[in-house]
Amino acid sequence: MLRLLPGIIDLVLTVVAIVDIVLIDPSRVRTLPKWVWVVISILLFIVGPLLWFFVGRIRLERVTTNGPIAPDDDPDFLRRLGEQHPNDPGATPDDPKPSA
C-alpha cells in the first residue's frame, strides 16, 4: 500500500492541476499557454502540477475595502442601534423621541 502512495499523490495532483488549468481565466496564466501547462503537468510527475500551482498561475489578491467590514465595525450602524424607536415596546414615556 505504501508503494502506491506516490502514484496516488501524483494522480490527484495532476487531475486537480489539469482541471484548474482548463477552468482558469486565460488572463491569470503566466508565461506559457494553457495547453503547454497541461502537457507539463502530465509529463513531469508531481513536479509538473506543483510548477503550475506555484509558477504558472497568477493568484488573486485579497480585496481590501476602506469601509467597515462587519456591521459592528460601522459607527453609524452602532449609533442607530442605540436610538429608541417610537414603536419600541421597551421605550418609556419619558424617553426622548428620535427625530426623523
Side-chain angles (χ1 to χ4, degrees), residues 55-70:
V55 177
R57 66 193 311 243
I58 297 173
R59 289 180 195 81
L60 292 177
E61 300 287 329
R62 286 191 172 210
V63 178
T64 57
T65 60
N66 294 335
I69 295 172

Side-chain angles (χ1 to χ4, degrees), residues 7-30:
I8 293 171
I9 291 172
D10 179 46
L11 180 67
V12 169
L13 273 173
T14 303
V15 169
V16 171
I18 290 173
V19 168
D20 190 46
I21 293 167
V22 169
L23 295 179
I24 198 166
D25 185 55
S27 66
R28 292 183 52 208
V29 178
R30 266 191 234 171

